[in-house]
Amino acid sequence: MAPTDARDQEWWRSSVIYQIYPRSFADSNGTGVGDLRGITARLDSLADLGVDAIWLSPFYRSPQRDAGYDVSDFRDVDPLFGTLEDFDAMVARAHELGLRVVADIVPNHSSSDHPWFQAALAAAPGSPERARYMFRDGKGENGELPPNNWESVFGGPMWTRVTEADGTPGQWYLHIFDSSQPDFNWELEEVRAEFDDVLRFWLDRGVDGFRVDVAHGLIKADGLPDFVQADDEASMGGGAATQSPYWAQDGVHEVWRRWRRIVDEYDGDRILAAEAWVYPLDFMANWVRPDEMHQTFNFGYMETGWDAAALRAVIDDSIATFGAVGAPSTWVLSNHDMIRHATRLSLGEDTPQGHGVGPETPGLPDIDEGIRRARAASLLMLSLPGGAYLYQGEELGLPEAVDIPGHARQDPTWHRTEGERYGRDGCRVPLPWEADGPAYGFSPTGDAWLPQPEIYGVLARDAQLGTEGSTLEMYRAALRLRHELGLGTGAGAVTWDETPEGVLAHRVGDVHIVANVSGEPFPVEGEVLVSSHALEDGMLPKDATIWVRVPE
Ligand code: GLC
């Protein structure tokens, strides 16, 4: 049963949801890859941290060519992560601890190992089996050219040619991502009905909602017209202005309305949260209209640099724009696709989403400086009204792992671009739980599917727990206070104080939140509730945020 308490009523409007990346959270059996039992065993520490819910990246059956976002059975757990019984036990334990559980669902594509795709390969062009995916004849005299010029998000063409059953070169299939991730044909009722059933399968098992992968994909423009994504645009980005034929087509909203009706049939206020990389925010707000999803990840906020004026603008815009459709804004700084914010906010140069950083990247920040800024950014984020998302490890201040040798890298981006883009492995490195444990407490054998940097030992959870001033203690205090003081609640605009350039200050009742982004040291008075950096002679230096109580 889902947790029930006073927060039940539309709990998602102000919740803090913690993203677990199962491969890298905790490994119970020493394979070097995290698993469900590992998660269950560590759930107490998340309840102790003070989050409301967990969102798990995919744990379904998968050949793991895109770290589980390539699903071959949507109704089973991959043996790498455990069994359905392990899943049930995990959900039961989470609910016992008052944590809701959000699953990740991946509707845009399946794995090429999925029985439907295998059947499509074996069947003839024009067959019902092929109709479930996006098969097309090639161009050129013998069909030797791809059907159009689209480029995969991970680099290289978005099409792969198959060999027909008689051994001749045949049709092409579309894959927005890796060639092992063929796109479904969402025009087909059979595909829609299949996903209705998958949703019910997990809702019946007790999940409290879904994070919906690539929620701006699924539907493609009629005729699949040629299109080139601008170089300076995030490869996942679709917007009202760019009119990409494979992102953000109107037809997706029909699907989300259908899904909303399904989750609404269940008790306990279950949610849908969209991963929709669309711009600008008022276009993104279409995903959270009252009969569609509950939340959408605010990537506009995530992609805003550490700049006071820009932050204030995106915060105001987000609250107003989502508010206009009756939805809460969300806030997020890190996830499994982005450079961790302890590195990203201090990078000398902008890096497009998904490209990652590595040893040759110019302008890599000093680690201490990066962490300091990240703490300030997190404390500002947690003061804002709406839902917040945390990504595992940010509560420890983990920076991006930069020095991963080429042979150890696993992200298909790295391989498909022949090392030109580092990809996303640097934010996916297994968590450090114990400074002195094998693989820093991640696995009993010391194995870890990606190498952990030494700094992870210093930042291990047990080294921070109970240590005054640690990042973990800052998050614990902030989450407790946020809840007690109702900081995330209230849909109204943020009331900003007059402040000098580079400083942001707002208040919620008698609590004043001051973020000195890049300004001169700024005087702060009042009872200190939590801070990312201690006051220096009553002044808040730059790259620091503080919450104080000032009697009215
Ligand atoms: C989403 C996921 C990403 C994955 C992609 C393809 O963007 O967050 O990790 O590679 O979808 O499923």
Side-chain angles (χ1 to χ4, degrees), residues 217-275:
L218 280 67
I219 305 284
K220 281 84 189 173
D222 278 348
L224 314 182
D226 276 355
F227 175 75
V228 181
Q229 187 104 21
D231 267 355
D232 57 348
E233 265 179 21
S235 43
M236 286 284 280
T242 45
Q243 309 231 317
S244 153
Y246 44 87
W247 294 135
Q249 301 298 300
D250 271 352
V252 297
H253 298 292
E254 235 178 75
V255 178
W256 308 141
R257 290 191 191 104
R258 179 172 172 142
W259 285 27
R260 178 62 180 255
R261 288 194 293 273
I262 295 176
V263 296
D264 280 352
E265 286 169 23
Y266 286 78
D267 61 355
D269 212 359
R270 320 235 183 156
I271 64 160
L272 298 170
E275 185 216 20

Side-chain angles (χ1 to χ4, degrees), residues 282-321:
D282 60 354
F283 187 55
M284 190 190 254
N286 288 340
W287 272 251
V288 284
R289 288 176 289 193
D291 57 349
E292 299 198 32
M293 304 216 186
H294 300 75
Q295 293 187 337
T296 180
F297 289 94
N298 189 342
F299 293 126
Y301 179 72
M302 189 185 222
E303 288 177 331
T304 301
W306 187 235
D307 174 292
L311 282 166
R312 179 171 166 164
V314 73
I315 292 167
D316 288 344
D317 190 20
S318 304
I319 293 169
T321 309

Side-chain angles (χ1 to χ4, degrees), residues 57-293:
S57 280
F59 45 77
Y60 313 107
R61 229 173 236 280
S62 159
Q64 305 290 326
R65 295 200 187 92
D66 183 24
Y69 282 94
D70 49 322
V71 181
S72 58
D73 184 346
F74 290 92
R75 297 181 189 77
D76 201 3
V77 171
D78 196 276
L80 195 60
F81 299 121
T83 62
L84 277 171
E85 288 67 44
D86 293 336
F87 177 81
D88 293 341
M90 195 264 312
V91 173
R93 179 68 187 138
H95 285 171
E96 227 170 75
L97 289 166
L99 297 168
R100 286 186 164 82
V101 180
V102 174
D104 207 314
I105 188 156
V106 190
N108 180 71
H109 46 265
S110 71
S111 156
S112 49
D113 286 10
H114 191 286
W116 275 14
F117 192 72
Q118 288 302 313
L121 289 180
S127 60
E129 288 84 355
R130 288 227 169 153
R132 293 165 176 157
Y133 292 90
M134 303 287 291
F135 280 88
R136 294 289 185 278
D137 293 333
K139 285 188 177 158
E141 212 174 313
N142 300 306
E144 70 281 10
L145 300 172
N148 70 21
N149 69 347
W150 298 357
E151 278 229 4
S152 150
V153 167
F154 294 159
M158 214 188 262
W159 295 92
T160 294
R161 194 173 194 188
V162 303
T163 304
E164 301 297 352
D166 64 3
T168 57
Q171 287 195 301
W172 298 72
Y173 67 89
L174 181 81
H175 50 87
I176 290 190
F177 299 94
D178 187 52
S179 56
S180 64
Q181 294 164 294
D183 280 44
F184 281 120
N185 171 16
W186 271 88
E187 304 293 347
L188 199 69
E189 174 56 26
E190 190 188 3
V191 170
R192 296 183 183 209
E194 169 72 359
F195 271 90
D196 293 352
D197 193 65
V198 170
L199 291 177
R200 290 181 197 286
F201 179 87
W202 295 105
L203 289 165
D204 290 339
R205 291 199 105 87
V207 304
D208 299 288
F210 299 96
R211 175 262 188 191
V212 183
D213 192 61
V214 198
H216 59 318
L218 280 67
I219 305 284
K220 281 84 189 173
D222 278 348
L224 314 182
D226 276 355
F227 175 75
V228 181
Q229 187 104 21
D231 267 355
D232 57 348
E233 265 179 21
S235 43
M236 286 284 280
T242 45
Q243 309 231 317
S244 153
Y246 44 87
W247 294 135
Q249 301 298 300
D250 271 352
V252 297
H253 298 292
E254 235 178 75
V255 178
W256 308 141
R257 290 191 191 104
R258 179 172 172 142
W259 285 27
R260 178 62 180 255
R261 288 194 293 273
I262 295 176
V263 296
D264 280 352
E265 286 169 23
Y266 286 78
D267 61 355
D269 212 359
R270 320 235 183 156
I271 64 160
L272 298 170
E275 185 216 20
W277 295 84
V278 294
Y279 311 91
L281 280 174
D282 60 354
F283 187 55
M284 190 190 254
N286 288 340
W287 272 251
V288 284
R289 288 176 289 193
D291 57 349
E292 299 198 32
M293 304 216 186

